[in-house]
């Protein structure tokens, strides 16, 4: 088929994919019922079928002799790709995200001719982004040409990997070894729960690489062309050519990075042995036992706040909210700039941008002018002084000027300004602001939690099998805590319906507070990473404890944030 004919087909089908995105948005903004397919983690909604039926019927009207391979209509049967024009459709990739209100979900439509993908269209209507490609014509996001990143080294790379694959016993050991090999060397490892969106993020440079196995043709078909046309490297995980019908993929912005990831996968597969024995998984940690000294949930002692009046407390809130909104404009400026300067701090994965210090200074100076006796624990201030922070009974502002700095640098819109206030060593106020997505999370002790002024509530999920869990697998790159985190991510991810790693502790806690996640577990962080998010989650009706179910120590934030007590106890 000529290029001109392929382009004409693209022009005819593009509006249909736009319409399918509108159907997705209708469902995204409404309450959704779902049912299970093959397993507790494999879910489907009525919108999956509605979108797929719409696309097939409308395309068939235009091209009655074309074939179709689609998730809901052919997913349970063995499909064969012929040389005929064949549409490969995933009506909603990232259905769990779609159900939970996470924006990483999309409609994916690819066309194969002669067993080669020649058209790819991906509609992420939640973010208003359509990624597209026609073979030989480049890749585009909303009509603007996109290219992959030029990152060469794994240590400089943000790499995507679907941690949720650990819940499939037959392939869990393989994926755990690969996660360990890659995450211990990458600057950051992220897990979004959508193969298609992750590959599109590689195409536009938000991710530097992505690898996936054990998927289906509709998971990768359209996006594989988009990555290739954006200048990316794409191969089978064994180093051979990408196979549409057996999509085991490594895709990367550069060939050098892609080949290094292939080597890491090979090393991991050669060392498959005794990390995990095939056995029944239990719903408790095997890493630590709860000791007699653990505090019991519900026994937490509260102290009277040393704030003279509700009016004064409200003044604190208004002041910090205004300062954060002001800093949000500065953060947006940095996010929109083509290049932002940064440097490493304690390790290759610990970076700081020019905007971190600028934002922290504005917040500290603004508060100090009004309340000169207040104390501060700020990420960049502590990094410069190299003195261990102490929390006293005095009003103390705990500040992370940019939580998710790596995301911020990579133009991934999941980064935020996070500020909490502690009085008498108890959190009483928290604000987390993501200016890129215009999401302002706020909470005051005893007054509930809010997103952009509307009250939010944690989900009521009680069973770990129904839980979407947040966990930062990038912690594997720290040798001191690597073994612990490898074991925990396996135990947790293998039992949850989905696991997401977004690279921001503050936002992850807020996502639990509003029901996008059902739980979040993190250890070995700093107080500024969790202070604001913790009180926001508590005020949303969730539970925040230490890793053993006892009272959270703000200064040593090893925590479980969950929607319910029952879920906390299972974790």
């Amino acid at each position: 088929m000529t290029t001109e004919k392929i382009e004409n087909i693209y022009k005819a089908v593009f509006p249909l994919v736009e319409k399918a995105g509108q159907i997705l948005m209708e469902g995204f903004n409404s309450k959704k019922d779902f049912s299970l397919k093959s397993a507790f983690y494999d879910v489907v909604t009525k919108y999956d079928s509605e979108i797929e039926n719409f696309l097939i019927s409308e395309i068939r009207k235009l091209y009655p002799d074309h074939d179709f391979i689609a998730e809901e209509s052919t997913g349970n049967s063995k499909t064969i790709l012929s040389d005929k024009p064949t549409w490969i459709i995933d009506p909603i990739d990232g259905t769990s995200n779609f159900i939970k209100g996470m924006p990483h979900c999309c409609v994916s439509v690819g066309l194969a001719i002669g067993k080669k993908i020649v058209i790819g269209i991906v509609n992420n209507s939640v973010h208003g982004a359509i990624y597209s490609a026609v073979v030989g014509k480049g890749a585009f996001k909303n009509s603007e040409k996109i290219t992959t990143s030029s990152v060469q080294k794994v240590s400089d790379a943000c790499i995507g990997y679907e941690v949720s694959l650990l819940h499939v016993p037959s392939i869990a050991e393989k994926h755990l070894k690969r996660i360990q090999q890659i995450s211990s060397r990458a600057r950051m490892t992220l897990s979004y729960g959508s193969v298609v969106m992750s590959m599109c993020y590689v195409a536009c440079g938000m991710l530097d690489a992505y690898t996936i196995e054990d998927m289906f043709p509709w998971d990768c078909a359209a996006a594989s062309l988009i990555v290739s046309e954006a200048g990316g490297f794409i191969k089978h995980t064994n180093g051979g050519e990408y196979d549409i019908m057996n999509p085991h993929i490594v895709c990367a912005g550069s060939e050098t990075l892609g080949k290094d990831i292939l080597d890491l996968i090979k090393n991991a597969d050669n060392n498959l042995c005794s990390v995990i024995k095939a056995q029944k998984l239990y719903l408790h940690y095997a890493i630590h036992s709860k000791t007699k000294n653990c505090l019991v949930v519900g026994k937490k002692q509260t102290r009277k706040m040393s704030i003279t009046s509700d009016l004064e407390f409200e003044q604190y809130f208004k002041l910090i909210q205004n300062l954060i909104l002001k800093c949000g404009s500065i953060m947006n400026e940095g996010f929109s700039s083509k290049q932002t300067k940064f440097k490493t701090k304690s390790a290759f994965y610990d970076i700081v941008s020019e905007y971190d210090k600028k934002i922290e200074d504005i917040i500290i100076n603004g508060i100090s002018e009004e309340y000169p006796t207040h104390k501060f624990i700020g990420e960049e201030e502590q990094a410069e002084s190299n003195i261990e922070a102490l929390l006293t009974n005095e009003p103390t502002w705990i500040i992370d000027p940019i939580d998710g700095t790596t995301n911020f640098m990579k133009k991934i819109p999941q980064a935020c300004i996070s500020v909490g206030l502690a009085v008498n060593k108890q959190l009483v106020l928290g604000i987390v602001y993501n200016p890129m997505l215009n999401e302002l999370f706020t909470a005051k002790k005893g007054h509930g939690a809010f997103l952009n002024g509307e009250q939010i509530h944690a989900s009521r999920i009680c069973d770990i099998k129904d839980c979407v869990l947040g966990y930062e697998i990038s912690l594997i790159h720290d040798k001191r805590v690597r073994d612990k985190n490898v074991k925990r991510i396996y135990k947790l991810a293998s039992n949850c319906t989905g696991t997401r790693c977004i690279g921001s502790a503050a936002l992850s806690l807020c996502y639990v507070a509003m029901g996008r996640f059902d739980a979040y577990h993190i250890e070995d962080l700093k107080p500024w990473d969790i202070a604001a998010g913790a009180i926001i989650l508590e005020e949303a009706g969730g539970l925040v404890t230490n890793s053993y179910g006892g009272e959270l120590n703000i200064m040593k934030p090893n925590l479980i944030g969950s929607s319910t007590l029952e879920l906390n106890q299972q974790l």
Side-chain angles (χ1 to χ4, degrees):
M1 187 176 292
T2 65
T3 300
E4 183 179 359
K5 286 184 178 180
I6 292 171
E7 287 187 287
N8 288 336
I9 294 173
Y10 168 82
K11 291 174 183 177
V13 172
F14 190 92
L16 301 179
V17 182
E18 286 185 304
K19 174 60 177 176
Q22 293 173 15
I23 300 172
L24 184 148
M25 278 304 299
E26 290 170 11
F28 190 83
N29 293 321
S30 64
K31 186 176 180 180
K32 296 168 281 291
D33 294 322
F34 64 91
S35 56
L36 300 181
K37 294 196 287 186
S38 61
F40 70 88
Y41 48 80
D42 189 12
V43 294
V44 63
T45 71
K46 68 175 184 178
Y47 294 97
D48 293 78
S49 298
E50 183 177 344
I51 291 170
E52 184 171 304
N53 291 338
F54 165 77
L55 286 169
I56 291 176
S57 64
E58 293 301 313
I59 294 173
R60 188 165 274 152
K61 289 176 186 177
L62 296 172
Y63 307 104
D65 58 332
H66 286 196
D67 287 341
F68 294 87
I69 296 173
E71 180 172 13
E72 305 312 325
S73 56
T74 61
N76 292 324
S77 59
K78 187 173 180 62
T79 53
I80 298 174
L81 181 63
S82 69
D83 288 330
K84 287 180 61 179
T86 303
W87 294 93
I88 304 175
I89 299 171
D90 193 341
I92 302 179
D93 186 66
T95 301
S96 290
N97 289 342
F98 173 72
I99 293 167
K100 298 294 289 184
M102 282 285 286
H104 308 291
C105 54
C106 61
V107 180
S108 176
V109 178
L111 174 63
I113 299 177
K115 300 179 183 177
K116 300 289 184 182
I117 303 296
V118 297
I119 292 174
I121 308 172
V122 172
N123 190 350
N124 174 219
S125 51
V126 180
H127 275 158
I130 299 182
Y131 300 83
S132 62
V134 174
V135 65
K137 297 295 182 179
F140 298 84
K141 177 183 177 182
N142 294 342
S143 301
E144 291 190 10
K145 195 163 188 177
I146 55 175
T147 56
T148 58
S149 78
S150 58
V151 169
Q152 304 289 311
K153 297 179 180 178
V154 173
S155 59
D156 294 332
C158 291
I159 300 174
Y161 202 111
E162 296 308 329
V163 180
S164 294
L165 290 169
L166 294 175
H167 54 211
V168 184
S170 61
I171 57 176
E173 183 175 355
K174 172 183 71 175
H175 286 296
L176 188 65
K177 289 295 291 182
R178 291 183 182 186
I179 288 168
Q180 185 173 356
Q181 280 281 328
I182 292 169
S183 295
S184 63
R185 292 164 174 81
R187 173 164 286 161
M188 180 170 284
T189 308
L190 299 167
S191 185
Y192 291 120
S194 169
V195 176
V196 178
M197 289 311 308
S198 297
M199 292 178 71
C200 287
Y201 295 159
V202 174
C204 69
M206 286 169 57
L207 290 177
D208 301 304
Y210 180 70
T211 180
I212 192 73
E213 277 198 2
D214 308 298
M215 292 287 106
F216 297 95
W218 46 82
D219 293 309
C220 306
S224 66
L225 179 67
I226 294 169
V227 171
S228 180
E229 288 294 318
F233 169 93
I234 184 163
K235 291 286 186 180
H236 192 286
T237 49
N238 64 13
E241 293 303 310
Y242 160 62
D243 181 353
I244 300 170
M245 300 304 291
N246 185 27
H248 295 196
I249 284 177
V250 169
C251 62
S254 69
E255 183 178 0
T256 300
L257 179 60
K259 287 183 175 179
D260 283 349
I261 293 172
L262 285 171
D263 286 341
L264 291 176
I265 289 172
K266 184 178 179 180
N267 290 339
D269 292 352
N270 287 340
N271 290 316
L272 280 177
C273 52
S274 59
V275 175
I276 306 167
K277 300 294 183 183
Q279 59 182 354
K280 183 178 179 181
L281 304 179
Y282 296 95
L283 300 182
H284 64 274
Y285 281 150
I287 304 105
H288 297 292
S289 60
K290 297 185 179 182
T291 69
K292 294 180 180 179
N293 295 324
C294 286
L295 295 172
V296 178
V297 174
K299 297 293 185 181
K300 182 175 177 179
Q301 297 294 315
T302 58
R303 300 180 179 89
K304 186 177 180 180
M305 298 190 313
S306 61
I307 296 177
T308 56
S309 67
D310 288 340
L311 176 61
E312 186 175 2
F313 187 39
E314 187 63 28
Q315 288 172 342
Y316 291 171
F317 181 82
K318 288 181 178 178
L319 173 63
I320 189 58
Q321 180 170 270
N322 288 336
L323 288 171
I324 286 176
L325 290 173
K326 177 182 177 181
C327 290
S329 299
I330 296 171
M331 190 171 174
N332 263 331
E333 173 192 311
F335 190 82
S336 300
S337 65
K338 290 186 177 180
Q339 193 168 14
T340 304
K341 296 178 182 178
F342 70 94
K343 60 183 179 180
T344 57
K345 293 193 287 186
S346 60
F348 71 89
Y349 48 80
D350 186 16
I351 64 173
V352 60
S353 77
E354 57 189 305
Y355 291 91
D356 290 77
K357 190 69 170 69
K358 186 184 297 186
I359 290 171
E360 186 170 301
D361 286 346
I362 290 172
I363 292 172
I364 290 177
N365 292 338
I367 295 172
S368 295
E369 287 178 7
E370 296 292 329
Y371 304 103
T373 62
H374 284 200
K375 308 297 183 184
F376 299 92
I377 298 174
E379 179 174 12
E380 305 315 322
E381 183 183 54
Q382 294 301 313
E384 286 186 356
S385 67
N386 203 27
I387 299 173
E388 185 177 356
L390 295 175
L391 183 63
T392 69
N393 289 332
E394 297 300 315
T396 303
W397 298 89
I398 305 173
I399 304 166
D400 194 339
I402 300 180
D403 185 57
T405 300
T406 300
N407 286 345
F408 176 71
M409 299 299 301
K410 294 296 295 180
K411 313 306 178 188
I412 299 170
Q414 285 178 314
C416 61
I417 302 166
S418 174
V419 180
L421 173 63
V423 178
N424 286 327
K425 300 180 182 178
Q426 298 294 314
L427 293 168
V428 297
L429 181 156
I431 298 182
V432 172
Y433 183 37
N434 179 350
M436 287 76 69
L437 298 181
N438 191 31
E439 292 184 335
L440 179 68
F441 297 89
T442 60
K444 293 178 283 187
K445 189 74 173 178
H447 293 275
F450 298 83
L451 169 58
N452 295 340
E454 293 190 10
Q455 192 161 10
I456 56 175
H457 303 279
S459 74
R460 306 319 302 159
I461 295 296
C462 297
D463 191 331
I464 193 170
K465 286 188 176 181
D466 299 325
C467 170
V468 173
L469 171 77
Y471 197 106
E472 299 306 333
I473 54 174
S474 291
L475 292 171
I476 291 173
H477 53 211
D478 188 338
K479 291 181 180 179
R480 296 167 298 177
V481 295
R482 183 173 298 161
D483 288 347
K484 173 182 72 174
N485 280 296
V486 168
K487 292 173 183 176
R488 290 190 180 185
I489 191 62
Y490 174 69
K491 282 287 184 181
L492 293 170
S494 58
N495 286 290
C496 294
T497 192
T499 306
R500 306 289 180 262
C501 313
I502 65 170
S504 168
L507 283 178
S508 294
L509 286 165
C510 289
Y511 287 0
V512 180
M514 67 174 296
R516 284 178 180 167
F517 293 171
D518 303 301
Y520 181 65
H521 174 50
I522 196 74
E523 286 195 353
D524 309 300
L525 292 189
K526 301 294 183 181
W528 47 80
D529 293 307
I530 61 90
I535 187 169
I536 290 169
L537 174 52
E538 286 183 335
E539 287 298 311
L543 182 67
V544 180
T545 71
N546 67 26
S547 298
Y548 313 114
E551 184 176 350
L552 175 68
N553 180 350
I554 302 170
M555 300 306 290
K556 190 178 180 182
N558 297 341
L559 68 78
I560 295 174
S562 61
S563 57
T564 61
L565 173 61
E566 293 86 350
L567 186 55
N568 174 278
Q569 291 173 337
Q570 290 180 59
L571 293 168

